[in-house]
Structure formats: structure tokens, C-alpha cells
Amino acid sequence: WGSNSFECHSSGLLPMVVEDGETAGVTFTRGKSSLEGLDHDATLWHGRESASMLVHRHAMETERAKVSKGFEGQGVLQGVVFPCMGNILGVILFLRLPWIVGKAGVLETFSLVLVCCSCTFITSLSLSAVATNGKILGGGCYFLISRSLGPALGSGVGLCFYMANSIGAAMYFMGTVEAWEVAQPDLQILGAGNLNNVRVTSLLILALALVLVGGGIKHVARLGTVFLFIVLGVILCMYVGCFVGPWSGDGTYTSSVATEEGTELLTLNWTGPSLEVFKENLGPAYDMPQKAYPSDTKEYGFISLMGLWFPAVTGIMAGSNRSADLKDPAADIPRGTICAQVVTSFLYLSFVLIFGLVAPRQTLLDDRFFAASSAWPCKQVVQYGVMFSAIGAGLTSLVSGTRLLSAIAGDKTLPILQIFAAPPGTEPRLALLASGVLCACAIAIGELNAVAPVLTMFFLMCYTCVNLSCTILEAVHDPSWRPKFKYHHWSISLIGAILCIWMMFAMSTLMAMCAICFCAVIFAYAAYNSHSVKWGDGFQGMKFQLARNILTHMDLTAHTKNWRPQLLVITGASIFEQTTTHEEKLCVHDPDLLSLASQLKGGRGITILGGICSSKGVSVFSDGGMFICQEQRQKVLDGQDSMKRLLQQYHIEGFGRMVYTEDYADGLMCLVQISGLGAFQPNCVLAAWPKDVQKLDKHGSETRSHLIRMIQVAVVFQKVVLIAKGISWPDFEQRLHSHIDIWWIVGDGGILLLLPFLLAKHSVWHGCRLRLFVLADKVGDDPEMMMEELQNYVSDFRLNIEVHVKVIDPDVYDTSPALAAGSHTLADTNTIEQDEIDLEVANERPLRTVSQESVDEVPPWRTTSNLSSNLGRWRRQLSGSITGSRSSEGLQGASRAFRSSPPGTIGSVPEGPAAGLDSLSFSPQGADARRNLGFLHENAMTDPGPSGAKPEQNSKAFMYNEKQLTSDSPCSPDELMLARGLNSIIMEESSKADLVVMNLPDMPPGESAFGYCQLIEEMTKGLSRSMLVRGTAKEVITAFT
């Protein structure tokens, strides 16, 4: 801004304009005296919302959310502290803690209670951090976990917590019946001490509870405070009674024990606070007999008692389950949860010390309800108080479970549960019914000591994920991780998660595995059905960090054993002008390619689907262009979304990208050059053979030019080229049972053998037999030896391929007028000199011993030249090796044939005089046999020499000059007749094959794009499906482990 442009008010330092003009890109109208309305200036911001308006809108939405609740919301005491304490202080404290002290002793009981309380305390810290990292809606802990770790894991853990709440209700109702049996042993349905009595009475209580909860969940939730104060009164009576004691004058008291035979009256001792008793109770006595629970014959230890006790410390999430009813969930949940957890932990630890101080061990083991026997002023206060509090806790658990199931169903991540979703403002009665059924199943067990460990597993699974969510969000440095609660650290949360997992497996490996498998099944089901759910979770951040670290540390050059095809599928694409709501807006020009790419995923590489949308010369920045016109811009975005759906439709594991360009060739070059990232760059380019390549109009010329350019760029960047040619390709429902034939002329790194093997892994091609065909000369090659060598070779590489050797008869010649006139193609003149050099070298080497028996003879056919000599030279030239032959001694050591690579590696460039299996056929002597197939530049035929250059250094160009792209001259008669001859051989064996895989010839130096396309058409004439492959001479398959 100019130094004289503004002056400031002393009150608000508001800049003002003192002269008209245009400053720093902001245009001021004449007479404007301030920057008022700058954030609404449509010229500068094009209608974007101002910051002040954004803040105001957020405030209004928050206010509307408060009004929609219909009430102010509960505070920290009523909404969090009381519900948490009411759920934590349950029947285990009153019915089992004295008995656990008698079994484990004071020290071990104190330790196990401390471990359990430490676990829930750490989880409370993690829960507080997650709860303060954004607004919380209904769903409680499920909402926290699902929005932190994603819908898939959130659904699994949410269902675990739902089951924990429903089974917890069963435990509370069974505890109610136990207290009722002690209080009124004569008023039982089936008699005290009978497990069926516990089952029947508990089911009756459950039925009553379902009626109460069904009448109105909100009203039942408000009763939680009443039940909590009853529990606190009972605890006060226990504190006083432990020091006053049930005195009867002589230090004894009586207690009844219900057995299957009836009620037994026991006389038990009471000492009151005594250091002698405390010392005697310090150590464990797991083998000491007990009469409190005669039907329980299980042998207990420290771990098993910890599993029995752990449900007593659960309930810390009762406040978060009421998040929808809280005034300020982010502030109330941390304070209330930690407060309730600390207070209840203090009560538990203090009672461990008090029980060990006031009663002998035998009394603790034989009195079924010691907490009531020692109560003041009378035991009935505790007995009935525990019953009422247990019923209240059971009702609360039913309410929490019902709300949780309804929230999970409402998110639609588990379609099978959608029936339990309740419309807003209605009671989730179907979810309540489901909770009741699950609770009834737990009650059918009939033994509280057996139900508690099951309950423990589900709670520990839930707590593990809460701690992990905090750890992951902190560890991945997610920018959205900004909790207001500062008293946490990822290492503490990690310790909490490890502690939970240790406790699970220490208590029961089988049950822990079952709980994990249950979560895994739900996780997989939810992940499969939650593609449309985008919540932004911690797992995405973790995946990002992991992918980044892997990408930056991966070796860009894959070892042969690790090579796998990573496809770049190139196709044209169009966006419809007008579509219905059910019609895809994107149309790819070669949909069969997508099926083929999906069926090639046996290599499990990454596939990139590249669609090129060309405006055909119209500028994309014109008035109606893709990037200027509003309607066209929307189509661009729709095209990207449609690409993702195409990948899902064709089951392609990879990514899709649309390229919008004015010229198709430019988009093609961009895709081939920049697709991929790091080690995940495509190493194979898959495209369809164009249909209009033989047309002589402008469209045909452009089509041929695009094809040749694509192949040339792929060759330069050392990518395998795959050209799919055929009328139609099988869809996913088809099952083929014929053959996949491989016509192996040059090795090209072994890619020709690997691709059919990977394709046969797919169910469409799995029924096809793989057949390998190689060509041999009748004079100069030993077919039997070649057959044996090839069979051993295929066996070494562990490929289940049927081998065939085709023998060519070289004794038939037909001198064409063109040759008689001495006409030569440009390729001939380029290769004659080098051919003579090759011939001199070949004449110095021994020929193969020719067997009297041929394998599969090809009937004589007439051509302008010797077919065997031309094909032999084609194989040698394309593989980059010099002419040679080998003696009948066979393979004299793999290292001789493959010195530049490990023994048994297909596709390497041979060194020295020995030739690999890429050149198993050899041409006869004679200069006339060296012509008519100049597929490579003259330098391509030179010997790599003894230095053993690497395949990458010997890679040959596909085309050589720009004129080849635009020329429409027809194919050389020599090349054309050779292609027809090769086609006749292929058709004899593969006319009915489901797929023919063969090498893609290079473009002869003197040939035009039109002539080259004619050559390929003649080679593949009559084949229903063919795949033309050009490798990089880099090994992609090995015989070694």
C-alpha cells in the first residue's frame, strides 16, 4: 500500500482512504472514505463468504442445536458424575469383594484392584482427550471411536460395547437375585441355592425392566440419580458397620448359606479391627475351602479373580453415552469421568484394606453377603439397598445398550442392523427388544462368576480401542488432532492399550481370540459397506504416514523375484452432455480393457486407469472450455467421481485419473510419463489395438500416430507394452476352457511367460491350458533337443506350461518379381552390411545335429524368401543377440548361456559366443537368407561383446524418425509376406485358442506407421483374441528362490 493512501482513526485504527484511486489491486469508488464492506466485495472475492459471516453462521447453528434439544442440557454432576458412579459401584463390590479378599489376601487383592483401576484411569484420560477433540453428538463412546478410528472399527467396538452393556444388565439382575436369596431365603420361586431359581427370577426382573424402559427411556435415565444415592447410603452403612460389627456378645454371628439340599446356618467369627487378623489376611489362600458358593468348584488364581473383579471398575463411559443430553459434552465428559473414576477407585481400595482388617479369612470365604452382615444399623439396609441399586444399574445398562445399538444402526455402516434404527424423536423399541434377548441369553448361564469374565472381555476390547485411538491420532500428527484436554500423552495411552490386551490374554486366550475375531468380522463387514461414509478418521492418517514412509524408503529398482505387473491402462473417455440421474456421466472408449486389467490382478500390482478426454483442438480456457464454463467445470469433477465408480465396478485395485487436454497426443504423453509415484510407477502400459488404423483418412493417420507415439514413449521409459487385440473380451461371469497359446519368438525378459500364468489365476481363465510354441529350423536345429531343453527350462521356472516345437521346412523357395528386379527396402540397405558380419561369425560355429524325427512339421508354404531364415533372424535381432548355433551337447551349464544374470533367468542378453534360449532357432548359411526383415536399427544387431552390457543399456528404439508417423506408404511386400507366413503357422495351432500371446515386433526403420499396422494385422489375422507384448529385456521371472 502507498505511504500516503491511508490515515488511521485514533479510536479504532481503522484505515481510511484520503484520495481516490486504485491501490494494491483494490479499486475504491470515488468518495469512499473507509474499508467498510471490503470482505463483501464481489469484485475481489467473487461472492465467497466473509469470515465474519462464517463465524456468525457457526454461532447460529450452535444455538439452533441447543434449542432442538428442548432443554438446557445436563451439567457435569447430573449428566456425567452420577451416571458414572452409579454404573461403577455395582453388585461386585457388595457380593464378591470380601470373598476375593479371603481368597487372594490383602496384598494381591489390593494389587489386582489397583491394576484394574489403573486401566480404567488411563482409559479415562484417553477418553477425555478424544472427547475434547471436536463436537460430540449422540452415540457416546461409539461416536467417539467411530469418528476417531473410522466407521469400520467403530462399528466393531461399538457392538462390543453394546454387548457389554446388555450382558452387564444380566449380571446386575442376577446379583439382585443373589441378594434376594440371602435376604428372604424362604420366599424363592424354586428354592434358594438353585441355579434355575436365579435364572427364572432374573428373567422376571428383566421382563419388568423391559416394560419400564419401553415406557420411556428418558424417565428411566432420570432415576439413575435416585439409585446412586441409595448406593452411597449403603456404602456409608458398610463403612460404619465394619468398625462396629455384628456383635452378639461373644464375637460370633450367624449367617445362612443356601445349598441345593436347603439352607445351612453357619456360625462365623468377628474380630473387629485387628492387626493380627490383618497380618493373617495379607497373603493368598487359593486352596482354602469356602462355603459361600458351594456350586462354584473352579480353582481361582490372581488372573481369574482379576477377570471376576474387572466389571466392578467399568462404567466410566456412562457419561459419554449421554453426550446428546449434556450442556457442554466436551467440557463435562473429561471432568465428570475422571472425578467418578478417582472417587470409586478410592472406595474400592479402602474396602480391600478394611475387609482384611476386621474379619478372619474363613469368615470372608464362608459369608455369602459379608457386606450386609457387617452393616450398620442392620443387615437389611444393605441387602435391600443393593437390590434396588442393582436393578437401577441394570436399567441404566439396558438404556445405554439400546441407545448404542440405535446409533450404530442409524449410521448405516452395518446394513444388517438397519432395522434397529429409530427415527428422530421416537423410542428405539426394536433395539430395546434386541438388548433384552441378549440379556436373557446371558441370564441363561445362571452363574454370576461365569458371566463376569465374558463381560470383562467386551469391556477390555472397547477400552483397548479408546486408548489406541488416542495413540494413533497423536502418533500420526494428524492436523485435526487438537484436543482441549491437555493432561494426556500418546505413550500413556499406548501403555493403557497394552495393559488391556495383556489382561485379555492373561484371563483367557480363547475368549480373547474370540472377542478379537468378532471385532474383525464386524470390521470387515463394516469396511465393505461403508465406502460412502466419510468421517475423516485416524486410520487414514496412519495409512498416510505408513504409505509415505514405505514409498520414500522403497528401492525404485525391483529385484527380479519382486517384479510384478503394475498396469497403466490407457483409454479414451467422453463426458455426456446430458444424463439421467441413474446414468454414468463418463464413458470409456475401451471398456474391455478394464475387464482384462482386473483379470490380470493375479500379480497383485497396482493398476492406474488413465482416461484421456480431449476437446479436439478447442481451447480448455475458452469461453465454453472445460476450465472456464461453470457447467463444464462440474462435468470435470463428475468425471473424476465416475472414474472411482468404474474401478469398483470392474473390481480393479488401483486408482483412476482423468486427463483433460486440447490434444489427445499430449494427454497420452502426460499419462505415460508422470503416472504413479516412486516405486509404484507403472511398469506396464496396457492399451487396445485401434479399430481404424488401416483407414487412409485424417482420423486413421491420427490413430496410428497416437499408437506409435505411445509405444515409443513406453519403450524410452522402459515400460512393458501390452496391446490387446480382439473383437470382444470375456466378462467376469464367463468361464473359458480352451487354450492360452504363447508364441515365443524373443524372450524380452520372460514377460511373455509370466503374463499368461498370472492371467490363468483368475476364475475366467482358470480352466484354460497354457501352451508354449517355439519355432525351429528343419535344417540347423535339433527339435528333440529343443523340446527337452524347453521342458527342463519351464520346469525350472515352476510354470505349468505345455511345450511344443514347430519345425519349419526351408526347402521351398519362390522368387518374386520384386526380388528378381533387385528391389530392396530401406531396411535391407540398412542391414546388409551387418548381416554379412553376422554371417561370417555364424559360419565359424558348428551347427546343431539334426534329428531324423521332427516334432510338429509345418507343411511347405511359399513366400518371397526363406521363412525359417527370416524368423531366425527376427528372433536374434529382437533379442539383441548375434547369430549362433549350438552343438548337440545341449545346455553345457546355465552360466554359459546367461552370464549377465543369475543362472536360470529368462530374458537376459547373452554374452560371448553362447546363445540363450531366446535364440533356439538358427538360420542356415547364405546371404540371401539375411534379408527382408529389417525390424531393428543396424546397431541393434551388434554383439554386446564380452563386457556384458546390461539389458537396459542395450534397449532398442521402437521408431526412428518423425516421418514414420505421418507416412501412409504400404508395408513392404517382403515384411507382409513374412507376417502372413507366421500367421499361417499360428492359425494351424491356435485358431480355436481363447487367447494368443505373442511378441510385438518393432517398427522397421524404413516402414511407415500405416505399413507397420498392416504388418500387425496380417500377423494376427483370424485370431479371436491376441495380446501383443513388448518387454524391456529386464528379467521379470527367475528360477531361484
Side-chain angles (χ1 to χ4, degrees):
W1 300 91
S3 58
N4 297 324
S5 297
F6 299 94
E7 64 181 19
C8 296
H9 290 287
S10 59
S11 58
L13 297 180
L14 177 66
M16 297 184 65
V17 178
V18 296
E19 58 183 83
D20 296 337
E22 180 174 329
T23 309
V26 180
T27 304
F28 301 98
T29 58
R30 184 174 300 275
K32 194 170 183 179
S33 60
S34 71
L35 291 179
E36 181 180 358
L38 177 64
D39 55 351
H40 300 287
D41 194 318
T43 304
L44 287 177
W45 314 118
H46 292 192
R48 284 182 285 174
E49 187 179 19
S50 66
S52 59
M53 184 59 67
L54 177 67
V55 174
H56 178 69
R57 182 165 54 83
H58 174 76
M60 295 300 294
E61 290 175 354
T62 303
E63 188 64 28
R64 281 195 296 268
K66 291 180 180 180
V67 173
S68 64
K69 290 183 178 181
F71 60 98
E72 281 289 325
Q74 297 176 340
V76 63
L77 280 177
Q78 183 72 21
V80 183
V81 176
F82 290 166
C84 285
M85 291 186 65
N87 270 38
I88 296 173
L89 298 171
V91 294
I92 301 294
L93 167 64
F94 309 110
L95 296 176
R96 292 296 185 272
L97 185 56
W99 186 79
I100 292 175
V101 173
K103 277 283 186 182
V106 174
L107 291 180
E108 291 196 12
T109 303
F110 192 90
S111 299
L112 71 86
V113 172
L114 184 61
V115 169
C116 295
C117 291
S118 299
C119 178
T120 55
F121 179 74
I122 294 175
T123 306
S124 298
L125 296 179
S126 301
L127 177 67
S128 300
V130 176
T132 56
N133 189 51
K135 287 189 173 184
I136 304 173
L137 303 178
C141 72
Y142 162 71
F143 183 89
L144 296 177
I145 297 173
S146 60
R147 269 58 175 181
S148 300
L149 292 182
L153 189 60
S155 298
V157 178
L159 275 184
C160 280
F161 195 63
Y162 157 72
M163 297 180 73
N165 276 279
S166 300
I167 297 174
M171 184 188 71
Y172 289 125
F173 295 151
M174 293 166 66
T176 303
V177 176
E178 282 196 13
W180 173 247
E181 285 184 343
V182 174
Q184 298 293 338
D186 299 329
L187 299 179
Q188 305 302 313
I189 298 176
L190 299 176
N194 191 334
L195 289 181
N196 289 328
N197 181 69
V198 176
R199 296 186 179 104
V200 173
T201 309
S202 299
L203 289 174
L204 291 176
I205 297 174
L206 171 62
L208 180 62
L210 290 176
V211 173
L212 292 176
V213 175
I217 288 180
K218 295 182 179 180
H219 303 293
V220 174
R222 292 168 185 167
L223 294 176
T225 304
V226 177
F227 293 121
L228 172 64
F229 280 102
I230 293 176
V231 172
L232 294 178
V234 169
I235 291 175
L236 179 61
C237 293
M238 288 171 57
Y239 268 120
V240 176
C242 284
F243 292 96
V244 175
W247 292 102
S248 59
D250 57 352
T252 62
Y253 70 98
T254 59
S255 176
S256 59
V257 177
T259 64
E260 293 184 357
E261 291 78 15
T263 303
E264 180 182 354
L265 196 62
L266 300 177
T267 301
L268 303 174
N269 296 321
W270 172 267
T271 62
S274 171
L275 290 178
E276 289 292 330
V277 173
F278 187 77
K279 291 179 181 178
E280 291 177 0
N281 291 337
L282 280 178
Y286 295 114
D287 298 331
M288 193 169 181
Q290 55 89 21
K291 297 182 179 179
Y293 308 101
S295 60
D296 189 358
T297 59
K298 179 180 177 180
E299 294 183 2
Y300 286 92
F302 180 85
I303 298 299
S304 56
L305 288 177
M306 185 165 59
L308 175 62
W309 169 255
F310 190 82
V313 300
T314 61
I316 58 175
M317 293 187 175
S320 64
N321 289 339
R322 299 189 178 193
S323 55
D325 300 330
L326 297 177
K327 182 185 300 184
D328 187 1
D332 295 342
I333 290 176
R335 290 182 297 170
T337 303
I338 294 176
C339 176
Q341 199 281 332
V342 170
V343 171
T344 53
S345 297
F346 172 78
L347 292 177
Y348 287 153
L349 294 172
S350 64
F351 271 117
V352 171
L353 300 176
I354 291 173
F355 289 151
L357 182 68
V358 300
R361 186 185 301 274
Q362 195 62 54
T363 300
L364 297 174
L365 291 174
D366 292 344
D367 194 343
R368 190 175 185 181
F369 207 165
F370 178 79
S373 300
S374 62
W376 177 89
C378 61
K379 60 183 180 181
Q380 285 76 15
V381 173
V382 174
Q383 289 173 348
Y384 290 101
V386 168
M387 282 189 281
F388 281 111
S389 66
I391 291 175
L395 290 173
T396 303
S397 296
L398 279 179
V399 171
S400 299
T402 300
R403 285 178 169 176
L404 192 54
L405 181 60
S406 180
I408 296 173
D411 278 337
K412 300 179 181 180
T413 55
L414 298 175
I416 196 173
L417 299 180
Q418 287 188 18
I419 190 176
F420 300 112
T426 62
E427 298 288 346
R429 288 191 170 86
L430 282 178
L432 175 63
L433 181 61
S435 300
V437 171
L438 183 58
C439 182
C441 293
I443 289 174
I445 297 175
E447 180 62 55
L448 189 146
N449 287 8
V451 173
V454 178
L455 186 60
T456 296
M457 287 297 164
F458 288 114
F459 274 118
L460 283 174
M461 194 72 206
C462 184
Y463 294 168
T464 298
C465 290
V466 172
N467 287 303
L468 278 180
S469 66
C470 187
T471 303
I472 291 173
L473 290 170
E474 183 78 26
V476 301
H477 304 289
D478 200 316
S480 66
W481 177 245
R482 301 185 301 275
K484 295 180 181 179
F485 183 77
K486 302 301 181 183
Y487 303 101
H488 77 281
H489 193 267
W490 68 267
S491 59
I492 302 299
S493 298
L494 181 60
I495 292 173
I498 294 174
L499 179 60
C500 291
I501 295 174
W502 171 78
M503 292 173 67
M504 289 175 62
F505 282 92
M507 293 173 191
S508 173
T509 302
L510 179 61
M511 293 179 65
M513 290 302 299
C514 289
I516 293 174
C517 289
F518 174 81
C519 274
V521 171
I522 299 300
F523 177 88
Y525 180 63
Y528 180 79
N529 292 283
S530 59
H531 295 294
S532 60
V533 178
K534 303 296 181 184
W535 290 334
D537 54 84
F539 264 122
Q540 293 299 322
M542 185 174 64
K543 291 175 184 176
F544 174 83
Q545 292 290 344
L546 184 62
R548 188 199 65 175
N549 293 336
I550 291 176
L551 275 174
T552 54
H553 290 89
M554 280 189 70
D555 189 357
L556 296 182
T557 304
H559 190 273
T560 305
K561 292 185 291 187
N562 305 119
W563 193 94
R564 62 189 63 208
Q566 298 184 158
L567 300 178
L568 170 61
V569 183
I570 295 181
T571 178
S574 303
I575 301 178
F576 293 127
E577 293 293 333
Q578 292 181 350
T579 60
T580 64
T581 55
H582 300 289
E583 187 179 5
E584 283 290 351
K585 297 183 179 180
L586 178 69
C587 173
V588 294
H589 298 170
D590 303 299
D592 285 345
L593 276 184
L594 277 64
S595 299
L596 179 59
S598 178
Q599 292 160 16
L600 270 172
K601 65 184 178 183
R604 293 299 174 187
I606 289 181
T607 300
I608 297 178
L609 174 57
I612 305 173
C613 185
S614 172
S615 62
K616 299 180 180 180
V618 179
S619 174
V620 294
F621 291 99
S622 62
D623 291 341
M626 295 181 183
F627 301 139
I628 297 297
C629 176
Q630 174 64 35
E631 182 181 352
Q632 296 294 335
R633 293 205 308 267
Q634 185 59 44
K635 290 180 181 178
V636 168
L637 298 177
D638 293 340
Q640 301 291 0
D641 294 336
S642 298
M643 185 69 79
K644 297 177 184 177
R645 290 191 290 271
L646 275 177
L647 293 174
Q648 296 178 6
Q649 176 184 346
Y650 286 92
H651 313 294
I652 294 178
E653 298 173 345
F655 307 95
R657 176 55 55 188
M658 287 289 298
V659 174
Y660 300 92
T661 178
E662 299 172 13
D663 181 65
Y664 185 91
D666 292 341
L668 188 65
M669 297 302 101
C670 290
L671 273 178
V672 176
Q673 294 183 66
I674 67 174
S675 293
L677 189 65
F680 290 95
Q681 295 181 25
N683 52 29
C684 301
V685 176
L686 174 61
W689 181 260
K691 299 177 181 179
D692 302 329
V693 291
Q694 297 197 74
K695 291 184 177 180
L696 293 175
D697 55 7
K698 180 180 179 182
H699 175 69
S701 178
E702 290 179 350
T703 301
R704 292 188 293 272
S705 175
H706 295 159
L707 174 67
I708 303 302
R709 288 179 188 220
M710 179 196 69
I711 299 176
Q712 176 66 13
V713 174
V715 169
V716 170
F717 285 94
Q718 298 181 5
K719 300 181 187 295
V720 175
V721 179
L722 309 176
I723 304 296
K725 189 174 185 296
I727 300 175
S728 64
W729 290 79
D731 54 30
F732 298 111
E733 286 72 28
Q734 288 183 258
R735 297 295 180 266
L736 304 179
H737 301 283
S738 184
H739 307 102
I740 298 178
D741 288 349
I742 308 166
W743 286 85
W744 194 19
I745 301 174
V746 292
D748 269 1
I751 186 66
L752 212 69
L753 301 180
L754 181 62
L755 284 177
F757 169 75
L758 298 177
L759 194 61
K761 287 185 175 183
H762 196 275
S763 58
V764 172
W765 303 90
H766 191 65
C768 296
R769 289 166 48 203
L770 301 183
R771 301 193 301 179
L772 173 63
F773 293 90
V774 295
L775 303 178
D777 296 340
K778 189 171 184 179
V779 178
D781 287 331
D782 186 345
E784 288 185 349
M785 181 186 298
M786 291 180 63
M787 174 70 78
E788 180 182 354
E789 291 175 351
L790 282 172
Q791 287 176 340
N792 293 335
Y793 210 77
V794 170
S795 176
D796 287 344
F797 284 90
R798 307 172 304 282
L799 297 172
N800 185 21
I801 300 179
E802 181 182 315
V803 175
H804 297 264
V805 176
K806 298 294 295 183
V807 180
I808 304 174
D809 189 346
D811 298 329
V812 179
Y813 296 91
D814 181 16
T815 305
S816 66
L819 288 180
S823 63
H824 297 282
T825 63
L826 177 61
D828 293 329
T829 60
N830 286 341
T831 58
I832 288 175
E833 182 180 354
Q834 185 62 44
D835 289 339
E836 293 172 355
I837 297 174
D838 291 342
L839 196 60
E840 293 175 1
V841 177
N843 290 335
E844 297 176 0
R845 299 178 184 170
L847 297 177
R848 286 179 178 268
T849 301
V850 181
S851 172
Q852 297 299 322
E853 298 180 3
S854 61
V855 182
D856 287 327
E857 284 199 10
V858 178
W861 57 279
R862 308 186 68 81
T863 176
T864 61
S865 170
N866 189 329
L867 177 65
S868 64
S869 65
N870 281 309
L871 289 178
R873 184 149 57 93
W874 184 12
R875 291 193 296 274
R876 290 190 302 278
Q877 291 172 347
L878 287 183
S879 61
S881 61
I882 63 171
T883 307
S885 60
R886 300 173 58 181
S887 66
S888 59
E889 296 175 3
L891 291 174
Q892 301 176 0
S895 61
R896 180 185 176 201
F898 306 103
R899 295 176 184 169
S900 64
S901 59
T905 304
I906 288 182
S908 58
V909 177
E911 303 176 49
L917 287 180
D918 292 343
S919 51
L920 283 172
S921 296
F922 305 90
S923 35
Q925 303 174 11
D928 61 328
R930 299 292 180 178
R931 301 188 180 96
N932 308 327
L933 219 116
F935 280 122
L936 292 176
H937 192 271
E938 59 271 16
N939 294 333
M941 296 163 49
T942 58
D943 191 339
S947 61
K950 296 181 180 179
E952 291 80 2
Q953 296 171 340
N954 280 304
S955 59
K956 309 302 182 296
F958 179 79
M959 58 169 286
Y960 301 97
N961 57 70
E962 187 178 3
K963 293 181 180 179
Q964 291 179 292
L965 294 175
T966 56
S967 174
D968 291 337
S969 60
C971 182
S972 163
D974 300 336
E975 317 289 3
L976 205 57
M977 291 304 296
L978 178 60
R980 289 170 181 169
L982 179 59
N983 175 259
S984 66
I985 297 176
I986 295 175
M987 287 299 294
E988 281 189 1
E989 298 291 342
S990 305
S991 60
K992 296 182 180 180
D994 288 324
L995 176 64
V996 174
V997 183
M998 67 178 73
N999 295 103
L1000 175 71
D1002 284 343
M1003 193 173 183
E1007 204 65 75
S1008 67
F1010 178 74
Y1012 177 74
C1013 292
Q1014 282 184 316
L1015 178 72
I1016 300 299
E1017 290 286 353
E1018 288 296 333
M1019 281 180 54
T1020 58
K1021 187 177 181 180
L1023 299 177
S1024 59
R1025 300 184 195 95
S1026 59
M1027 182 184 294
L1028 301 165
V1029 181
R1030 191 194 191 279
T1032 62
K1034 178 181 178 181
E1035 299 85 356
V1036 300
I1037 186 172
T1038 179
F1040 289 86
T1041 302

